Amino acid sequence: FQVKEFSLKAGTFAYPLKPATLSLSYRHFGYSKYHESKFGLGIGRKFTEYFAVGVQIDFLQTYFAEGYGTYNAVAAEAGILAKPLKNLCIGFHVYNFTRNNNNSLPEESIPTNVRLGISYEIESKATILLETEKELNADIMVKAGIDLNPVDNLFFRLGFATQIEQ
């Protein structure tokens, strides 16, 4: 939106090891008077061509200016990806499954949510996507979309979501 207060910076580094891959990630949102940062250390492993698992530990930091200070927390996340058929992928992700809270700011909780997603590719020209997301203290959200690729380098995407305001 060309507004510095909505600035988002992110990056990831992955290093393949045998038999897994190690990752470092960083995300920063905000500006000088308020910002949120997330540092992640993860590891993922592909067990077969059709099944992979990953886990990550996140260090979360929130900064408020005007003397309010910096607040820190730790959370964990994990995911599973399965490909039972050639064109079908199923993924499951859980964030903050340890249900950690921000101890220095107890009135602010770190959400715990789970997601289940499915994608089905139709002859490399279209992908149908469906995801359900449930935060423990909110209604279930359903997201669906289609990604069309009629010719190289041209994509049309359409989607919807329920419960977008939580």
Side-chain angles (χ1 to χ4, degrees):
F1 299 114
Q2 299 297 320
V3 178
K4 70 177 180 177
E5 289 80 2
F6 294 150
S7 172
L8 176 65
K9 300 168 194 82
T12 301
F13 173 77
Y15 187 76
L17 302 168
K18 291 194 178 186
T21 298
L22 183 67
S23 69
L24 295 171
S25 62
Y26 175 71
R27 180 186 166 280
H28 182 273
F29 170 79
Y31 69 114
S32 62
K33 294 189 181 211
Y34 172 83
H35 57 263
E36 301 173 358
S37 296
K38 175 181 168 185
F39 303 89
L41 174 62
I43 189 162
R45 180 165 184 204
K46 187 175 182 180
F47 289 93
T48 70
E49 185 179 339
Y50 309 105
F51 184 74
V53 175
V55 294
Q56 180 168 294
I57 300 296
D58 299 321
F59 175 72
L60 310 167
Q61 186 177 73
T62 303
Y63 171 78
F64 297 94
E66 310 298 329
Y68 290 101
T70 302
Y71 302 93
N72 302 308
V74 175
E77 56 187 299
I80 297 171
L81 182 63
K83 193 170 182 181
L85 302 171
K86 179 182 174 186
N87 297 344
L88 179 68
C89 287
I90 301 170
F92 176 78
H93 180 260
V94 59
Y95 180 76
N96 193 24
F97 59 86
T98 55
R99 308 224 27 223
N100 288 355
N101 280 322
N102 187 338
N103 294 333
S104 55
L105 197 61
E107 62 275 6
E108 292 293 320
S109 65
I110 300 168
T112 297
N113 67 32
V114 294
R115 294 177 177 180
L116 176 65
I118 299 172
S119 73
Y120 184 76
E121 187 176 335
I122 304 168
E123 298 181 21
S124 300
K125 295 293 179 190
T127 304
I128 298 169
L129 306 130
L130 177 66
E131 178 185 73
T132 60
E133 178 178 346
K134 173 71 172 118
E135 187 176 319
L136 290 186
N137 299 324
D139 292 335
I140 194 165
M141 183 187 315
V142 177
K143 305 171 196 173
I146 187 163
D147 184 342
L148 301 171
N149 180 215
V151 296
D152 286 345
N153 299 320
L154 178 64
F155 293 87
F156 295 100
R157 294 180 173 141
L158 178 67
F160 77 91
T162 64
Q163 303 292 334
I164 58 174
E165 293 184 29
Q166 295 189 18

